[in-house]
Amino acid sequence: MATTGIDARRRVSVMAALSILVGLLVLASLGIGPVRLSPLTVIDALFGGGSDVQQVIVREIRLPRAILGFAIGAILGLSGAALQGLLRNPLASPSLFGAPQSAAFGAVLVIALGLADVRSWALPVAAIAMAFVSVFALLAVAGRNAGLLILILAGLAISSLAGAATALVMNLSGNPFVVLEIAFWLLGSLEDRSFRHVTLALPFIVAGAIILWSQRNAFRALSLGEETAQSLGVDVGRLRLLVILGVALGVGGGVAVSGTIGFIGLVAPHLVRPLIGHDPSRLLIPSALTGAALLLAADIAVRIIPSTSDIKVGVLTSIIGVPFFLYLIMRERRALGGGVA
């Protein structure tokens, strides 16, 4: 009982600390830019105070960017935790099933065909549609009750196909300006986003988050093994379908307005797992908050790193995420080697 109480207090403390961190990062995101604003000025401008210029900077230019940074980072962290709980594999991430790559292909296709621009409702619709296509293709190829290895191989195949299709669309496009716009968009960025982008992405992100959060109790049962989970009344096939659909919906909506931002879904759960524990149901919200903090911090960093041109936030997250991914692979290899020995 005492240990349980200590664990509960630790979880509450971690959640409170993460919430405060995210709040401070949102405040910093609203204050950092070509025109630096103090935290007090930012708060004043948010509530209608300060000059008209300060209100425009905070409420119309930087607030949408901060909202998207929070929402997209949160859904990436939540999706990573959900997939790692579903597959009981610490290397699982949203890109495992090819949903982000397929969503990017859908968005790129409508841009290249001239059917939509980056502010059109057609963009998230196309991204979500292609994310769903990738999900259903995965289920059709791997089967509803496929094992982990088959799921990973099918996901890698779909991801590679989506990446190749995106490159083909860019190669066939006769407009060099469209190709350049697509290339920069694919790098991932929250720059120059407005409340229209928030309106485009947020409904899909919220819907995906609700689906994933609704399955939290099933994750706990699944951590005991599929047979045990089924004996407790969990439909593992249905759980797998709902998680993949939730990831496709949330990540697809985020990709539609930000481009591809990688590795946050992989890194976030690992950062909080030593503090929260390995119960996947209790890891969801802390992972979401950590993902939001990571993306907000990365978006702040690209604004303060000296450079002659704008650094894309997706580039920065990949630079940080790839070494972390390699470290996880080496750790898993050592663990397997120790188990064999």
Side-chain angles (χ1 to χ4, degrees):
M1 293 295 290
T3 302
T4 302
I6 293 173
D7 290 343
R9 286 197 296 271
R10 175 183 290 181
R11 288 194 299 272
V12 172
S13 299
V14 171
M15 292 277 286
L18 287 172
S19 300
I20 292 172
L21 175 61
V22 169
L24 292 175
L25 287 170
V26 169
L27 197 62
S29 179
L30 296 175
I32 292 176
V35 178
R36 297 292 180 93
L37 301 175
S38 68
L40 291 178
T41 303
V42 167
I43 295 172
D44 194 28
L46 275 176
F47 293 97
S51 67
D52 291 340
V53 173
Q54 289 171 344
Q55 289 184 30
V56 169
I57 291 173
V58 173
R59 299 168 70 174
E60 296 182 22
I61 298 176
R62 295 180 183 172
L63 185 57
R65 184 171 184 169
I67 292 173
L68 287 174
F70 171 82
I72 295 173
I75 193 62
L76 290 173
L78 179 63
S79 298
L83 286 173
Q84 290 176 17
L86 173 70
L87 299 176
R88 290 164 291 163
N89 188 306
L91 299 180
S93 67
S95 59
L96 177 67
F97 296 141
Q101 295 85 350
S102 299
F105 168 64
V108 164
L109 186 62
V110 296
I111 293 174
L113 294 176
L115 301 177
D117 58 22
V118 293
R119 293 177 176 84
S120 171
W121 276 101
L123 202 64
V125 170
I128 293 295
M130 289 308 301
F132 277 125
V133 168
S134 73
V135 168
F136 290 126
L138 176 75
L139 293 176
V141 171
R144 182 166 174 167
N145 297 309
L148 173 61
L149 179 60
I150 298 299
L151 279 173
I152 291 176
L153 291 175
L156 287 174
I158 293 172
S159 176
S160 299
L161 178 62
T166 300
L168 180 62
V169 169
M170 295 175 66
N171 287 333
L172 295 178
S173 177
N175 189 333
F177 297 103
V178 171
V179 173
L180 186 63
E181 180 183 11
I182 291 172
F184 279 111
W185 180 81
L186 285 173
L187 294 176
S189 177
L190 299 175
E191 187 181 6
D192 297 329
R193 299 308 189 261
S194 66
F195 274 108
R196 182 171 181 82
H197 293 98
V198 175
T199 306
L200 291 174
L202 210 55
F204 300 108
I205 292 174
V206 171
I210 290 173
I211 291 174
L212 296 177
W213 173 247
S214 68
Q215 303 305 307
R216 60 191 182 280
N217 293 327
F219 291 137
R220 178 179 293 152
L222 189 61
S223 65
L224 302 174
E226 289 194 9
E227 293 183 359
T228 303
Q230 289 173 345
S231 68
L232 294 173
V234 175
D235 185 340
V236 177
R238 178 176 177 273
L239 172 63
R240 183 178 290 123
L241 176 63
L242 286 174
V243 170
I244 295 175
L245 292 180
V247 170
L249 196 62
V251 174
V255 166
V257 298
S258 70
T260 305
I261 297 175
F263 293 101
I264 287 180
L266 173 70
V267 173
H270 285 279
L271 293 180
V272 293
R273 191 173 281 118
L275 303 174
I276 297 294
H278 293 269
D279 186 341
S281 65
R282 293 173 176 168
L283 198 64
L284 296 179
I285 298 301
S287 295
L289 290 172
T290 304
L294 287 172
L295 186 52
L296 286 168
D299 190 46
I300 292 170
V302 298
R303 283 180 263 177
I304 62 177
I305 295 175
S307 64
T308 56
S309 61
D310 294 329
I311 300 174
K312 301 302 181 183
V313 69
V315 175
L316 185 60
T317 58
S318 295
I319 290 174
I320 297 172
V322 169
F324 189 84
F325 183 62
L326 294 175
Y327 160 74
L328 290 178
I329 292 176
M330 293 176 65
R331 191 179 71 178
E332 289 298 304
R333 188 184 68 179
R334 287 196 299 266
L336 290 174
V340 172

